Amino acid sequence: MGCNIAIDGPAGAGKSTIARRVAGELSFIYVDTGAMYRAMALYMIRNGVTKENEDEIEKICEGARISIKYVNKEQTVLLNGENVNAYLRTEEVGKMASVSSAKPAVRAHLLALQRTLAAENDVVMDGRDIGTTILPDADVKIYLTASARTRALRRLQELKEKGQECSLEEVERDIIERDERDMNREVSPLCQAEDAVLVDSSEMSIQEVVDEILRIYREKVDRA
């Protein structure tokens, strides 16, 4: 039975960056569930499915084989055997993932793989419902958040580095809308698990957040 750390939180809170670093510090496997859902979204986009076509979203997901492997210590997401890491962080894929991830058929398609990875390995897993739904018995649960403006500023910087031009107001509006969808969807809405530790990263550096989660983890291990 693996040791599991679950990190949940809204879009732009830094979950993926933090989870990777925590996993590296502990020599755990990092499982990016968000990337898995983005791979599913990419599959749908490539097959001409729109986010408005809910029936088609549920039907087509069965054809997507999504897996994770490590190549030279880097997590690689495979979609039907293809390394799709380079395509997963576009705005189009992100918006489709936010819609499609609420569909029961999509979630069921990925749930078994995620739980198997966690049962067989020491993992750090991040997403929207890890501590509440995917790994309800995780050894450590973190709810990582930050203000909408802070998250928008971080996302805007990422877009600028990629050569994409957007206004801060536009990015912040998109984040707030995504929060609303994620928190109010019928299936596994985004929320803080009762036994999760809240970590607000608005005024913290990446390393400070990593250190805080490691402190929480080691305190839990010592108590055990």
Side-chain angles (χ1 to χ4, degrees):
M1 182 69 177
C3 180
N4 303 160
I5 299 176
I7 302 179
D8 290 310
K15 300 185 299 296
S16 297
T17 299
I18 300 302
R20 282 190 185 93
R21 293 205 182 186
V22 169
E25 291 276 355
L26 296 172
S27 296
F28 282 19
I29 292 175
Y30 167 57
V31 181
D32 181 357
T33 60
M36 295 172 71
Y37 280 105
R38 283 172 176 265
M40 180 69 78
L42 176 65
Y43 176 77
M44 292 176 183
I45 291 169
R46 286 180 170 181
N47 283 274
V49 179
T50 65
K51 62 184 180 181
E52 291 78 20
N53 195 336
E54 298 189 7
D55 290 339
E56 193 66 19
I57 285 174
E58 299 213 7
K59 289 178 183 176
I60 202 169
C61 71
E62 295 180 2
R65 291 181 292 104
I66 299 168
S67 59
I68 294 176
K69 65 185 296 186
Y70 276 76
V71 179
N72 297 324
K73 297 184 178 180
E74 179 182 357
Q75 178 184 263
T76 300
V77 180
L78 300 175
L79 172 59
N80 292 335
E82 176 192 355
N83 179 349
V84 293
N85 282 14
Y87 308 105
L88 300 183
R89 296 297 168 183
T90 67
E91 287 295 291
E92 181 184 18
V93 168
K95 289 177 180 179
M96 172 61 95
S98 181
V99 173
S100 61
S101 64
K103 305 305 176 186
V106 173
R107 305 192 71 80
H109 192 70
L110 297 173
L111 179 59
L113 172 61
Q114 295 163 356
R115 285 183 171 168
T116 297
L117 282 169
E120 297 178 351
N121 303 277
D122 295 333
V123 304
V124 179
M125 192 178 295
D126 75 285
R128 303 288 197 277
D129 63 346
I130 309 304
T132 55
T133 302
I134 309 300
L135 302 177
D137 298 321
D139 301 274
V140 175
K141 298 180 185 179
I142 304 294
Y143 190 83
L144 180 63
T145 190
S147 68
R149 176 53 61 98
T150 296
R151 290 183 282 139
L153 286 167
R154 292 171 180 170
R155 181 59 180 156
L156 184 63
Q157 183 60 37
E158 290 178 1
L159 293 172
K160 286 183 176 179
E161 290 173 357
K162 295 176 181 177
Q164 301 179 37
E165 292 297 327
C166 292
S167 69
L168 176 60
E169 290 72 21
E170 181 183 356
V171 176
E172 184 173 11
R173 183 170 59 252
D174 182 64
I175 282 176
I176 292 171
E177 290 174 354
R178 191 174 299 184
D179 286 351
E180 183 71 15
R181 290 195 302 270
D182 289 343
M183 291 177 179
N184 292 286
R185 66 193 185 193
E186 292 183 9
V187 180
S188 296
L190 170 65
C191 64
Q192 180 179 341
E194 290 185 3
D195 53 347
V197 180
L198 176 66
V199 177
D200 189 327
S201 68
S202 298
E203 304 298 329
M204 300 172 72
S205 68
I206 291 173
Q207 191 57 51
E208 285 173 336
V209 177
V210 170
D211 289 343
E212 176 62 10
I213 293 176
L214 290 174
R215 183 195 66 77
I216 293 167
Y217 164 76
R218 286 167 178 146
E219 185 177 87
K220 173 78 173 181
V221 169
D222 289 344
R223 286 204 303 268

